[in-house]
Amino acid sequence: MGEFKVHRVRFFDYMPSAIRAMAFNSRTERLALSRADGALEVFNFADSYFQEKVIPGQDGRAVEALCWVRGRLFSAGLNGEITEYDLENLRPKYTMEAYGGPVWTICSNSQGTHLAIGCEDGTVKIFEVLEETIRFQRNLDRQKGRIISLSWHPSGALIAAGMMDMIKVFNAESGHATHRLLVERGVGASKSREVVVWSVAFLSDHTIISGDSAGKVQVWDGVTGTLVRTHLVTKWDVLALSVSRDESSLLAGTSEGTVVQFQFISSTVDQHDKEWVRTRTFKNHTHDVRALAHTDTAVVSGGMDTQLVVRPLLEKVEKNTQESALRKIAFPHRSLVSCGKKAGMLLFQFHGHLELWRLGESDGHGEEKHTCTLSETHGGCQRWQGDDHICCSALSPCGGWLAYSTISSVRLYRLQYNGSNISITKVAKLPKVLRSAHQLCFSSDSSKLFASTTHSSVIIIALSQSECKYLHTLRPKSGTRQPVHLMSASEDGKWLATANSDCEIHVYSLHKLKLHCTVPVYSSCPTAMAIHPTTSNLVMVHADQQIFEYSLVQKEYTEWSRKLQKQGLHHLWLARDTPITHLTFNPRNPAHIIMHDTYMFCIIDQNLPLPDQKTLFYNQMTLRSLPEPERTSHSHSFKICKTFQHLLCVSLLEDHSLVVVERPLLDIASQLPAPVRQKKFAT
């Protein structure tokens, strides 16, 4: 397989933000979650839990609650605003002031016609959902305390509101309160200590279930307004509740990092009456569980430790299958690192700044486990004024250009080097057509900048020392409205490939400036792709781990790709639960395809036989320990190394050395404060 000189970079200290809220759309099988930095992420649960879309955050826009209305996504926050999101252009569509102070919660009725929000000033406000916007309709009776949580009855006629020390039930038509349910403070609690009703759920049989800061899950009769049962599940807070669609299962998330499941069953074998019984406790988090979603087959949880955890309910799925595996999603499903391979430069993307680094010289002799040193340039980072966070960024191969985009603008910088010094000059005038971009990419000779914009179109900008000139806009013929999430330019400057969240891959001829071909649509979203520098074959890896190779010259799948699909990939390859995020090729050996996910580095040798299902899928470190004859007998095309943790980028430099960017081997939870139990409210 050959050897590579490796630059191992272990100081990209990327830290995901805490998860604040979740909303699951069972019709489309999409999960939306918000983070503490204001960013929103959409995961496609029908496509191997792939992180399909990311909407960057904004300073001052903390999302406290999320809500789906059919295929539309709404949020509310402590800035007092309601926001609907444009999921095609990955930005807020509009923002509306609620005029009730900070908004703590938002929910919709089951009919999808109205939204209810709970405000700091004690009002529950009802908004009508129109075709393009929402319209304020009425206030329900104003209360003395803030409204912390809300839940509509499935009929849409009643609303339960969680407050301080109580739950109010409102008639949605008249706006008047029909019941007042007082919440106990708990045994031994101080009389001056208020109980916060963090979450409520209103079931179709008029049962109301609440979770509060005294650690209780309480079951209420919503018709009579009486307490039916109290479950003490923690000494601290019950922060979130989620009910299954058939209302037979309930989840409660606590500030101890546990998720407790209740089921509506008979407590004894010969008892016919059902009740809510505590059945399971899951411990998958180190800190507060702030958000929950109950799908038909799994418990989905997230919180302060930043991880999205999908824990299948084993009675709902077939055991010992991929669907029954526990998943922990900690890092983004796309690269935040850009490599200027001709200049030996690295660009790290954070939500509010960029860091630019240059590879230094190693004082070692290539011994195993040796780490190359790096030197920081220009103070290491580039910051700017503005509230919007970064959507995407790119560094040109020559290291002479740097570009990034927010939802409102694209900025381009010219980099010049003088020994160890670097000067960064902002390009003042960019073409007006270049307003914002979902993805940015430079050509291999650094003479062009490609920027994907609305409806999967790509703007081409010619770069020179004197000016930046608009050349052309490439548009697909499919009429798709989905954003591009992957772009790849060929080394010879002939081709540009784009992939969008409709699973479409379009290839453009950069010489003719028009669409060359569209790859046959596969059901799973592409997660990584690259164009081979000598064969002009496009290699694609999808969220379900399938690999395809498509000839751009012949406009058909290659023989190797057909053979791979006919034989099938090894079951251990398909069982991996993290997507391939980067793909490249070995210039010294055209048969080598190099790719990686978060925990695995792989070289596929197309000259070697494919592994069949009976072949042992050895790690390379394990193979090295075998005798030579046995090692040869186990040789096949997939060469895998799993000695990495939190692998964020692997790229080949012009001198054929590898740059491996890893996140420092630190427990995410170790960087967080002690479990956060919010007894005080931010205003």
Side-chain angles (χ1 to χ4, degrees):
M1 293 298 294
E3 295 183 353
F4 294 94
K5 176 184 175 182
V6 177
H7 303 272
R8 203 162 182 180
V9 179
R10 305 189 214 185
F11 55 85
F12 180 24
D13 198 9
Y14 170 74
M15 182 67 182
S17 294
I19 295 174
R20 298 292 294 270
M22 279 185 202
F24 183 69
N25 188 332
S26 58
R27 294 173 60 186
T28 62
E29 294 192 70
R30 300 302 200 275
L31 177 86
L33 66 82
S34 66
R35 295 193 180 267
D37 62 1
L40 266 71
E41 301 168 10
V42 178
F43 292 81
N44 186 348
F45 273 35
D47 191 11
S48 304
Y49 306 97
F50 178 59
Q51 188 187 64
E52 192 176 64
K53 297 176 181 179
V54 177
I55 300 176
Q58 186 182 57
D59 290 347
R61 192 187 77 199
V63 175
E64 193 69 21
L66 289 171
C67 176
W68 287 101
V69 180
R70 300 185 181 92
R72 297 164 66 179
L73 182 61
F74 295 86
S75 76
L78 300 185
N79 58 1
E81 296 176 340
I82 308 167
T83 302
E84 181 178 359
Y85 294 90
D86 184 344
L87 298 179
E88 295 174 355
N89 293 310
L90 304 183
R91 64 179 65 202
K93 187 176 182 180
Y94 61 85
T95 297
M96 183 176 294
E97 176 66 46
Y99 295 106
V103 181
W104 291 95
T105 180
I106 184 171
C107 65
S108 73
N109 59 0
S110 59
Q111 296 78 19
T113 58
H114 291 84
L115 285 172
I117 64 168
C119 300
E120 176 78 12
D121 67 356
T123 58
V124 176
K125 298 178 183 289
I126 307 296
F127 289 81
E128 183 182 4
V129 180
L130 305 177
E131 187 174 346
E132 293 295 330
T133 185
I134 59 174
R135 181 173 61 197
F136 173 75
Q137 194 171 75
R138 74 174 77 89
N139 284 328
L140 306 188
D141 286 349
R142 186 170 181 173
Q143 308 302 306
K144 290 184 179 180
R146 55 176 65 91
I147 307 297
I148 304 299
S149 53
L150 290 172
S151 179
W152 288 77
H153 186 266
S155 67
L158 299 171
I159 300 175
M163 305 170 60
M164 312 295 286
D165 293 330
M166 72 179 72
I167 301 167
K168 285 285 187 76
V169 180
F170 295 91
N171 184 300
E173 283 295 325
S174 67
H176 301 312
T178 60
H179 288 95
R180 177 171 173 261
L181 315 178
L182 295 179
V183 179
E184 301 170 350
R185 284 179 169 80
V187 179
S190 170
K191 292 184 178 180
S192 62
R193 176 187 173 189
E194 292 181 310
V195 178
V196 185
V197 181
W198 286 115
S199 187
V200 290
F202 209 158
L203 308 186
S204 56
D205 64 356
H206 289 270
T207 297
I208 297 173
I209 303 177
S210 63
D212 59 47
S213 60
K216 306 186 304 297
V217 172
Q218 294 189 302
V219 182
W220 307 80
D221 186 330
V223 176
T224 61
T226 57
L227 178 64
V228 177
R229 183 76 181 271
T230 295
H231 299 272
L232 184 62
V233 298
T234 176
K235 295 179 181 179
W236 307 107
D237 295 48
V238 176
L239 297 171
L241 296 175
S242 183
V243 182
S244 62
R245 279 200 296 176
D246 61 4
E247 298 184 352
S248 65
S249 177
L250 169 80
L251 304 174
T254 75
S255 58
E256 291 179 313
T258 59
V259 176
V260 181
Q261 184 184 15
F262 296 84
Q263 290 177 282
F264 192 55
I265 55 177
S266 298
S267 57
T268 60
V269 176
D270 51 355
Q271 183 177 345
H272 297 291
D273 293 335
K274 293 183 177 181
E275 60 180 324
W276 287 99
V277 178
R278 178 175 175 173
T279 55
R280 294 188 185 98
T281 299
F282 307 117
K283 176 66 175 176
N284 299 121
H285 296 275
T286 58
H287 288 64
D288 299 24
V289 177
R290 290 289 308 269
L292 285 171
H294 198 319
T295 71
D296 292 339
T297 60
V299 176
V300 187
S301 56
M304 291 295 294
D305 67 2
T306 77
Q307 295 185 111
L308 177 66
V309 177
V310 182
R311 186 181 189 107
L313 296 170
L314 296 181
E315 72 274 13
K316 301 287 187 179
V317 297
E318 187 178 345
K319 294 182 180 179
N320 300 322
T321 62
Q322 190 174 6
E323 194 178 13
S324 66
L326 174 71
R327 290 173 181 258
K328 292 186 177 182
I329 303 171
F331 295 101
H333 289 173
R334 59 199 67 189
S335 179
L336 299 176
V337 180
S338 182
C339 181
K341 60 182 182 179
K342 296 179 181 178
M345 305 289 292
L346 292 173
L347 181 69
F348 298 159
Q349 177 184 318
F350 298 84
H351 77 264
H353 72 278
L354 300 171
E355 289 185 359
L356 182 64
W357 294 79
R358 182 167 56 194
L359 289 169
E361 292 297 328
S362 170
D363 56 1
H365 302 283
E367 298 94 340
E368 190 176 6
K369 299 183 180 178
H370 178 76
T371 304
C372 291
T373 58
L374 289 93
S375 58
E376 193 175 6
T377 64
H378 197 69
C381 65
Q382 175 68 31
R383 299 180 184 269
W384 53 87
Q385 294 180 345
D387 296 334
D388 295 331
H389 294 173
I390 300 175
C391 300
C392 57
S393 60
L395 180 67
S396 65
C398 71
W401 300 93
L402 183 156
Y404 74 87
S405 177
T406 66
I407 62 171
S408 58
S409 65
V410 175
R411 300 189 186 183
L412 180 66
Y413 294 85
R414 186 180 292 111
L415 311 180
Q416 293 178 315
Y417 309 97
N418 181 17
S420 60
N421 297 321
I422 180 174
S423 65
I424 301 180
T425 305
K426 181 181 177 182
V427 177
K429 292 184 179 180
L430 292 177
K432 293 182 179 180
V433 69
L434 191 61
R435 296 185 180 92
S436 66
H438 300 136
Q439 288 294 311
L440 292 167
C441 173
F442 287 93
S443 61
S444 60
D445 62 359
S446 304
S447 65
K448 296 181 181 67
L449 172 65
F450 306 108
S452 67
T453 58
T454 58
H455 303 166
S456 291
S457 60
V458 178
I459 294 173
I460 305 177
I461 304 296
L463 305 177
S464 67
Q465 293 298 319
S466 58
E467 63 175 350
C468 297
K469 183 180 178 182
Y470 166 73
L471 284 184
H472 191 72
T473 299
L474 303 170
R475 293 184 175 89
K477 294 180 180 179
S478 62
T480 180
R481 302 181 65 86
Q482 294 302 316
V484 166
H485 68 280
L486 292 175
M487 274 202 304
S488 178
S490 64
E491 288 287 329
D492 58 12
K494 292 182 179 179
W495 314 106
L496 177 72
T498 66
N500 62 37
S501 49
D502 267 342
C503 303
E504 296 177 346
I505 298 176
H506 302 287
V507 181
Y508 299 93
S509 169
L510 296 179
H511 289 173
K512 298 180 180 179
L513 294 179
K514 68 176 185 179
L515 181 67
H516 174 71
C517 66
T518 298
V519 178
V521 176
Y522 180 61
S523 58
S524 181
C525 201
T527 64
M529 64 182 185
I531 301 172
H532 198 285
T534 57
T535 64
S536 293
N537 292 338
L538 175 66
V539 178
M540 305 151 284
V541 187
H542 295 258
D544 63 356
Q545 311 298 347
Q546 292 292 335
I547 303 171
F548 297 92
E549 185 181 43
Y550 190 82
S551 171
L552 301 185
V553 177
Q554 302 296 329
K555 297 185 182 180
E556 62 181 17
Y557 289 114
T558 65
E559 186 63 32
W560 181 85
S561 181
R562 296 178 190 275
K563 181 181 178 182
L564 179 65
Q565 291 302 312
K566 184 178 180 179
Q567 179 172 322
L569 285 159
H570 199 280
H571 64 92
L572 291 179
W573 175 270
L574 296 175
R576 291 169 31 258
D577 61 0
T578 52
I580 297 294
T581 54
H582 190 261
L583 192 154
T584 188
F585 304 94
N586 182 2
R588 292 179 175 176
N589 191 332
H592 287 182
I593 303 172
I594 301 172
M595 59 181 68
H596 74 87
D597 62 15
T598 309
Y599 305 105
M600 175 216 67
F601 173 73
C602 176
I603 297 178
I604 300 177
D605 189 338
Q606 293 180 302
N607 289 332
L608 292 178
L610 296 170
D612 57 34
Q613 299 302 322
K614 296 180 181 179
T615 301
L616 296 175
F617 216 56
Y618 276 124
N619 186 303
Q620 290 299 290
M621 297 297 289
T622 308
L623 280 174
R624 289 181 62 180
S625 65
L626 297 177
E628 182 64 30
E630 190 176 348
R631 193 188 315 169
T632 304
S633 67
H634 290 295
S635 179
H636 55 74
S637 57
F638 282 70
K639 306 300 179 183
I640 293 175
C641 179
K642 289 187 176 181
T643 59
F644 301 98
Q645 288 287 330
H646 304 160
L647 192 57
L648 298 180
C649 180
V650 175
S651 187
L652 266 172
L653 298 181
E654 195 173 47
D655 63 0
H656 301 157
S657 61
L658 276 177
V659 176
V660 178
V661 181
E662 303 169 80
R663 190 187 181 279
L665 294 179
L666 297 174
D667 182 9
I668 292 177
S670 68
Q671 300 191 26
L672 298 173
V676 178
R677 295 172 285 277
Q678 293 190 357
K679 304 301 182 187
K680 297 181 180 179
F681 293 89
T683 56

